[in-house]
Amino acid sequence: MGLPGNEIHLYFSFPGEISGPALLQQYRALLTDDELAQMSRLYFSRHRHQFLITRALVRTTLSSYFNVEPAEWRFGKNGYGKPEIIHPTHSWPTSFNLSHCDGLVLCGVTRDHDIGVDAEDAQRSTVAAFDRLSSYFSESEIADLDLLPPEKQKQRFFDYWTLKESYIKARGMGLAIPLSKFSFQFEADRLSGFKTHQSLMDDAGNWQFWRMSVAGRYRIALAVNSTEKHKVRTFSSVPLKNNLPLPLTFL
């Protein structure tokens, strides 16, 4: 599959729907010794399974665009922990990012632009997070949440959470970027604005964001550092088996 310069491709895998000893063994064969050791250290079997699907997904996704076998890829991290390709050595024009939560793994790819994706299960509890809003959100975002009726607060919370995660992941700096130093604005349920503090040395006008819902429970945010118009294509992926179009609800 080709990757046009004006497209963003998102691949969704649902670990609970991927099974079969033969297929899972094929996935294990793609992993390095270090990855297998990392997987074995995970306590819960569902987390080991999710790790396996995640590694298989990123490898097979990248190999669908380049003449590189899935097992040949090697990955490292930048100084802030963002995954990056370290082998084969090449000036790769494709940027990728990963996210996962219980029941879902996501890989986003695009050309020539920084990309960040975040997936969250909106049915999980937010009680602990609400207790630390000042650590996660800007003053304007907290004020917006306070004005909403209780039944809408949780939805807006995950809108902010996923958008902010997608931005810091696209920047490749993680929590080295203070979450209170940039803000998203909503009008009703529509994302209407994005602002960054001057200390971040980043032009908010250079960014585009998308929000979507998956399977009625997962909230997804996508951030791309580009002013060009992009088309977002979404797929349901069973690594080494199929990639099928996945219609999603964009918010």
Side-chain angles (χ1 to χ4, degrees):
M1 179 189 297
L3 181 59
N6 65 340
E7 290 192 1
I8 302 163
H9 294 177
L10 302 180
Y11 294 84
F12 296 84
S13 287
F14 301 89
E17 300 175 5
I18 301 176
S19 61
L23 183 60
L24 297 180
Q25 184 55 43
Q26 286 181 276
Y27 293 168
R28 292 187 189 95
L30 301 179
L31 273 59
T32 65
D33 290 343
D34 286 344
E35 288 172 322
L36 290 170
Q38 184 179 350
M39 182 174 70
S40 71
R41 290 193 292 269
L42 298 173
Y43 185 80
F44 293 105
S45 61
R46 71 178 187 277
H47 293 161
R48 294 193 295 272
H49 183 66
Q50 181 170 273
F51 180 96
L52 182 62
I53 303 304
T54 302
R55 306 317 301 172
L57 178 63
V58 67
R59 290 172 174 276
T60 57
T61 295
L62 291 173
S63 289
S64 68
Y65 300 109
F66 301 103
N67 187 27
V68 177
E69 291 297 318
E72 293 182 29
W73 298 103
R74 297 293 183 271
F75 303 96
K77 296 180 179 180
N78 71 7
Y80 298 96
K82 183 178 182 179
E84 57 186 14
I85 300 167
I86 59 174
H87 180 82
T89 55
H90 191 282
S91 180
W92 300 105
T94 295
S95 299
F96 75 96
N97 198 227
L98 296 166
S99 185
H100 57 78
C101 56
D102 279 349
L104 178 67
V105 176
L106 168 61
C107 179
V109 292
T110 193
R111 289 185 59 182
D112 304 318
H113 303 292
D114 295 326
I115 182 175
V117 294
D118 189 55
E120 299 289 344
D121 182 356
Q123 292 186 4
R124 70 178 176 86
S125 173
T126 59
V127 174
F130 267 114
D131 289 340
R132 298 181 59 194
L133 284 181
S134 61
S135 300
Y136 300 135
F137 297 147
S138 68
E139 291 183 2
S140 63
E141 291 166 340
I142 295 172
D144 174 56
L145 280 166
D146 286 341
L147 290 174
L148 289 174
E151 65 272 15
K152 289 190 175 183
Q153 285 184 346
K154 187 173 183 179
Q155 174 182 306
R156 183 64 52 83
F157 173 89
F158 280 108
D159 285 332
Y160 281 135
W161 185 282
T162 54
L163 285 165
K164 293 173 90 71
E165 284 284 332
S166 70
Y167 172 70
I168 63 174
K169 292 176 72 176
R171 288 285 305 269
M173 298 174 64
L175 291 173
I177 298 177
L179 296 177
S180 61
K181 296 296 186 181
F182 60 96
S183 301
F184 294 91
Q185 294 87 42
F186 282 83
E187 292 182 5
D189 291 327
R190 183 180 65 86
L191 180 63
S192 60
F194 173 58
K195 296 180 179 179
T196 58
H197 190 273
Q198 61 182 6
S199 63
L200 298 185
M201 296 182 290
D202 188 30
D203 185 348
N206 289 338
W207 289 89
Q208 294 182 67
F209 298 92
W210 291 261
R211 297 178 302 132
M212 59 206 81
S213 176
V214 179
R217 66 181 295 171
Y218 300 106
R219 305 291 282 196
I220 311 296
L222 162 66
V224 171
N225 188 9
S226 173
T227 58
E228 301 173 17
K229 185 176 181 180
H230 283 74
K231 177 181 180 180
V232 180
R233 298 180 63 190
T234 55
F235 305 90
S236 175
S237 178
V238 178
L240 297 178
K241 193 171 181 181
N242 58 53
N243 293 314
L244 302 176
L246 178 66
L248 294 185
T249 301
F250 283 79
L251 305 173

